[in-house]
Amino acid sequence: MRIKYTIGTFTLSLALLLFTLEPLGVWICSWIAFAPVLYVLFRKLSIWKSALLGYIFGATLCAIGASWASYYTVDALIKIVLYGGLPYGIWFGLISAFQFSLAPANKTLHLWIRSIIPAGSWIIVFAFTQLLPIGSIVIEVPLYQPLALMQLASIGSIWPVAILVLWFNAALALCFIKRTNVTTTILCISAILSLCCATWGALRLHNNPHKTQNMKIALVQPNFPPESDWRDAHGDEIMDTTSRMIREAGRKNPKIIFLPQYGLPIDPYRDEEFFSNLANETSATIVLAAYIPHKEGTTYQESGMANMGMVYEPQQGRTDAYISVVGPPFRDINQQFGNTYPELGTPLGTMGLLLCYEDTVRWTAKQWSARDVDFFASITNTGKFQGSTLPRHHFMQARMRAIENNVPVIRVSPNGYSGIIDKYGRVRVQTTLDSQEV
């Protein structure tokens, strides 16, 4: 097969996949995006060529889709691109390998097996990506669908959605190679099954309408600049604005006030007076997160830093705390991690905390879910990336954790997006970017 033809089909698939990403989000493209590349792979391209082209395919997709990483460092973007090519290289290589090894004599059975090879290979790669620093995001984001179909992830993962999308793409590719009664039947069955699943999801949403809770929640989005130099020079302004917005939230009589992750000029874990007084004044529980020195009486440089989530109760002070167990990949900030998931009690029930990058990591949410938490609080800070698509992707990850675990998510970020997401992934409240809101 001519190399120009192969590169052309891979480029077409890549272009269609880029349309599925934010800010375009044309999800329908995912149902045809993989067909051109599968058309080539089904023609029995050699395994090493498939793996090489797959690596280049994935790296290119990450270079464009994860361009937001350059807002932090170019080095981080390069590492994401290098890691991002691996899943696609392995995936395409597996598809070719199975094409060579699975060839039953019965032609009808052979076509059915070929149609499910891409989805089956994807599940293997999906399991492998859990070992990578960036997880499975690079292979699952292009497969995100409307909320009705995404209800399939409520069984615990996105893989049922991936099976439907990739099975349809594979059937389409087989029809392009040779349209027969068998390939047409496979295509029709995959389409009908997908429509049935989407209908089930729509009915699930319809039969479980939004419910208004009696307990009030306040989200504080202060919209502080993300630059460390500004934080260092405006410590008093940060504390004054924080106290003012907490008091403003308190006038609405909430049960819980959620604050975003931000570099405060005080150590809120060891210096409890500031937030304890505000919890007493507002008669509300206050939940917040901040980076603090890992050891008391030291600096970040001496002992490292810990990303700490805290709960302050009226008349009780700080009652619970949690140290994040996962940090953002490819960042050397001398972060120290915890290894426990303590019970965090609130007026809304038991809470699971997802700090910063943790709401993009499936297994951290699963750890909390296994402890039967009543809701997740995703407390993060995407301020450095406000000019990119990252805030949209990050918010979508919070919605995924809600659907996968059947648990509501309360998300707060200093510059947006903040919001309340029910356990079906529906957004009940959402702030705008770069705005100061309560």
Side-chain angles (χ1 to χ4, degrees), residues 130-300:
Q130 309 308 306
L131 304 175
L132 296 179
I134 56 176
S136 58
I137 294 176
V138 295
I139 63 168
E140 68 174 65
V141 169
L143 299 175
Y144 285 170
Q145 301 296 312
L147 193 56
L149 193 56
M150 291 301 285
Q151 296 305 300
L152 289 174
S154 62
I155 68 170
S157 172
I158 193 178
W159 64 263
V161 179
I163 287 177
L164 292 177
V165 174
L166 296 177
W167 190 25
F168 184 85
N169 273 274
L172 197 60
L174 290 172
C175 284
F176 287 154
I177 293 173
K178 187 176 182 179
R179 184 179 173 183
T180 65
N181 290 336
V182 176
T183 57
T184 302
T185 299
I186 295 173
L187 182 65
C188 291
I189 290 177
S190 65
I192 292 171
L193 181 60
S194 299
L195 288 173
C196 289
C197 290
T199 302
W200 170 82
L203 290 173
R204 185 172 190 257
L205 294 172
H206 176 76
N207 295 332
N208 295 278
H210 289 300
K211 295 180 180 179
T212 303
Q213 295 184 345
N214 294 325
M215 288 188 176
K216 294 183 178 179
I217 301 170
L219 309 180
V220 174
Q221 183 174 296
N223 200 34
F224 292 137
E227 293 80 12
S228 57
D229 291 342
W230 186 93
R231 292 199 305 267
D232 294 339
H234 296 81
D236 291 341
E237 181 180 345
I238 291 171
M239 300 309 293
D240 290 343
T241 302
T242 299
S243 60
R244 174 181 60 80
M245 296 188 74
I246 289 176
R247 290 188 177 97
E248 180 184 344
R251 287 194 288 271
K252 301 178 182 180
N253 299 316
K255 293 295 183 180
I256 308 182
I257 299 173
F258 290 90
L259 301 177
Q261 179 192 48
Y262 197 75
L264 299 172
I266 65 170
D267 181 342
Y269 178 71
R270 301 178 179 98
D271 184 2
E272 300 182 33
E273 182 179 3
F274 181 82
F275 288 105
S276 292
N277 289 340
L278 286 168
N280 294 338
E281 182 179 338
T282 59
S283 298
T285 299
I286 296 176
V287 179
L288 71 146
Y291 281 107
I292 64 170
H294 186 58
K295 295 181 180 179
E296 186 174 3
T298 63
T299 64
Y300 295 144

Side-chain angles (χ1 to χ4, degrees), residues 65-102:
S67 59
W68 48 263
S70 63
Y71 283 62
Y72 191 75
T73 64
V74 174
D75 181 61
L77 175 60
I78 292 173
K79 290 178 179 178
I80 289 175
V81 169
L82 293 176
Y83 274 99
L86 282 175
Y88 285 92
I90 296 173
W91 182 28
F92 288 7
L94 284 175
I95 293 173
S96 286
F98 287 133
Q99 287 294 308
F100 286 111
S101 60
L102 299 177

Side-chain angles (χ1 to χ4, degrees), residues 9-32:
T9 55
F10 272 61
T11 302
L12 176 59
S13 284
L14 182 62
L16 289 170
L17 278 183
L18 290 175
F19 275 98
T20 69
L21 305 180
E22 295 290 349
L24 298 176
V26 186
W27 59 268
I28 194 69
C29 287
S30 64
W31 291 86
I32 59 173

